[in-house]
Amino acid sequence: MSDISDLIKDFQELAELADTTELSILSGMISGLKARKNQSKYSYISSLLQLHKNVNTEETTITMTMPNTPLVHNELNITHGGMIATLIDTAMGTLASSTVPTGYATVTTDIQVRYVKPAIGDLLTCTCELIHKGSKTIIIEGKVHRDDGELCAVSTGNFFILKMKEASK
């Protein structure tokens, strides 16, 4: 790992050569890292992608948004399918985790994403609904919409319920 002075020098050189799009991406990444530092409950990927969540009080649905910035675009200038899958998996996983009691966690066992339309616009919204909760697995459906209301992707995911191990003494 570089020391801090090398990192500052590299960052300064990059920032000086960056165009407005690249500066916007750098700014968003810095904001995401700052948010992660202040809210350690969020993962780095959630913070860097600036994901925002809203779980309903019954814990059977969740809405998560992601700004559709150049950071998540592919060479066609539309959102990369992997970024949409990350949004969906994060939203579905967050919902799954919110349904299990303290001492338990969930992990994705499989996810299927079907892309319907290009993800364009300024904001993508993923809405997820709990379909089934058993003693060992949870099934969730997710849908991603563009800010013009058009459906971009639909998904189903299966999550395994795990009992957390006690911390080592």
Side-chain angles (χ1 to χ4, degrees):
M1 183 173 160
S2 303
D3 69 10
I4 194 160
S5 61
D6 288 340
L7 184 60
I8 291 170
K9 181 182 171 209
D10 289 347
F11 185 82
Q12 185 172 1
E13 287 175 6
L14 179 62
E16 288 171 356
L17 297 172
D19 61 24
T20 55
T21 299
E22 293 163 340
L23 286 174
S24 176
I25 290 170
L26 286 171
S27 177
M29 292 176 78
I30 290 169
S31 295
L33 288 171
K34 283 181 179 178
R36 169 62 171 85
K37 194 99 168 132
N38 295 332
Q39 299 283 335
S40 60
K41 65 182 178 180
Y42 293 114
S43 67
Y44 282 108
I45 194 72
S46 293
S47 297
L48 288 172
L49 295 178
Q50 300 176 26
L51 304 182
H52 296 282
K53 66 181 175 184
N54 181 21
V55 181
N56 81 353
T57 54
E58 295 96 34
E59 297 181 336
T60 59
T61 64
I62 187 174
T63 301
M64 187 172 283
T65 60
M66 179 178 76
N68 194 9
T69 67
L71 175 65
V72 299
H73 289 175
N74 62 21
E75 62 279 354
L76 300 175
N77 204 33
I78 58 175
T79 307
H80 188 286
M83 296 293 98
I84 295 170
T86 299
L87 170 62
I88 292 170
D89 187 40
T90 303
M92 290 194 303
T94 300
L95 178 57
S97 292
S98 75
T99 67
V100 297
T102 302
Y104 289 84
T106 61
V107 293
T108 309
T109 57
D110 69 79
I111 183 172
Q112 184 173 28
V113 181
R114 292 174 187 88
Y115 301 97
V116 179
K117 288 189 178 179
I120 57 173
D122 295 326
L123 187 70
L124 300 175
T125 301
C126 181
T127 305
C128 299
E129 182 179 359
L130 181 68
I131 303 300
H132 165 78
K133 181 179 178 209
S135 61
K136 297 186 191 294
T137 62
I138 296 171
I139 300 172
I140 296 177
E141 178 184 67
K143 295 180 180 178
V144 177
H145 289 86
R146 309 184 313 201
D147 50 14
D148 65 0
E150 290 291 325
L151 181 67
C152 300
V154 294
S155 178
T156 52
N158 296 307
F159 298 83
F160 189 71
I161 302 169
L162 301 169
K163 182 163 179 54
M164 299 296 291
K165 295 180 182 179
E166 289 187 46
S168 301
K169 293 187 180 186

